[in-house]
Amino acid sequence: QLLLQESGPGLVKPSETLSLTCNVSGFPISTGYYWGWMRQPPGKGLEWIGSLYYNAQIFYSPSLKSRLTLSVDASKNLFFLTLNSVTAADTARYYCARGFDGYNYNFWGPGTLVAVSS
Amino acid sequence: DIQMTQSPSSVSASVGEGVTITCRASEDINNWVAWYQQKPGQAPKLLISGASSLQPGVPSSFSGSGSGTEFALIISNLQPEDFATYYCQQTHSFPLTFGGGTKVEIK
């Protein structure tokens, strides 16, 4: 059974770096599929952050690209999000998900809430 | 970027009734649309891909239609568990973009 679980700091100070981990169980990341990150500010809609395919393509949201890095540790079946120079606008629940074609995401983690505040 | 304009932002309906949610793309995206359901405190759930293909386990009371720039999610015979927020998403190209959401509330 495929399970995804996000983990992160919960609270980050403005201008600092946000680092999140998605722990995947039940399916090797290196086998295939696309792995993505989405976020949702409190009370608002969904925003796509970026997606990657192991050892191949990485796609970033243009609005975040200058601050964003997505990466994978296939040996530990983890993938990561790093977002630099955060502001209050980055406060959101962050979700990791698996997509069957890079565009449609049918398995999601429960999300982790990140607040940016001093 | 492709903009997805979803309407209405909220709708009230009774159990047993039907609702239609529409989504308009800012350019022709063929049938590359997905629909998600999100309940409070939960992650989104993929209901429909390719504008009209139901995901496994999704009740047949859900259906999707449309192509080009106009799309619809139709929920017939609303059940208590269907009251949620629904999002469209274009699956045509990166960057992926979502509609603003439609909250389906109990009348």
Side-chain angles (χ1 to χ4, degrees), chain A:
Chain A
Q1 180 186 3
L2 173 64
L3 292 175
L4 297 93
Q5 180 67 59
E6 306 87 350
S7 60
L11 179 65
V12 182
K13 290 182 167 57
S15 79
E16 294 190 343
T17 295
L18 167 63
S19 296
L20 297 177
T21 299
C22 184
N23 190 333
V24 179
S25 58
F27 186 89
I29 290 176
S30 59
T31 301
Y33 290 98
Y34 282 81
W35 305 88
W37 290 95
M38 269 65 72
R39 70 181 182 179
Q40 186 171 36
K44 297 188 177 181
L46 296 163
E47 178 185 11
W48 173 76
I49 297 172
S51 302
L52 60 86
Y53 192 95
Y54 177 68
N55 257 2
Q57 304 158 306
I58 303 179
F59 299 93
Y60 292 114
S61 166
S63 65
L64 298 172
K65 187 174 183 177
S66 63
R67 301 190 289 130
L68 180 64
T69 302
L70 303 186
S71 58
V72 173
D73 184 339
S75 66
K76 297 180 180 178
N77 227 35
L78 303 171
F79 65 105
F80 309 98
L81 176 156
T82 302
L83 187 65
N84 300 323
S85 305
V86 297
T87 70
D90 296 311
T91 293
R93 180 168 291 274
Y94 286 74
Y95 296 97
C96 61
R98 190 187 84 173
F100 58 77
D101 61 3
Y103 305 98
N104 295 272
Y105 288 84
N106 55 344
F107 287 98
W108 293 62
T112 186
L113 184 61
V114 177
V116 178
S117 175
S118 55

Side-chain angles (χ1 to χ4, degrees), chain B:
Chain B
D1 300 3
I2 298 172
Q3 306 303 315
M4 302 296 284
T5 303
Q6 194 174 335
S7 62
S9 57
S10 66
V11 60
S12 296
S14 301
V15 172
E17 291 185 336
V19 296
T20 299
I21 299 167
T22 61
C23 199
R24 175 176 294 174
S26 59
E27 62 185 75
D28 187 337
I29 57 172
N30 199 343
N31 67 337
W32 300 114
V33 163
W35 290 95
Y36 293 84
Q37 175 193 66
Q38 187 179 32
K39 297 179 180 179
Q42 296 185 18
K45 174 186 176 182
L46 180 63
L47 299 176
I48 288 172
S49 62
S52 61
S53 297
L54 249 59
Q55 290 299 292
V58 175
S60 58
S61 56
F62 290 88
S63 62
S65 67
S67 66
T69 61
E70 302 284 340
F71 303 90
L73 173 69
I74 303 103
I75 314 171
S76 60
N77 188 22
L78 274 164
Q79 297 301 298
E81 59 270 24
D82 299 333
F83 292 93
T85 300
Y86 294 84
Y87 295 92
C88 61
Q89 179 217 327
Q90 62 86 9
T91 59
H92 177 271
S93 56
F94 292 108
L96 305 179
T97 47
F98 291 86
T102 297
K103 187 174 184 179
V104 178
E105 299 175 297
I106 299 176
K107 184 185 288 184

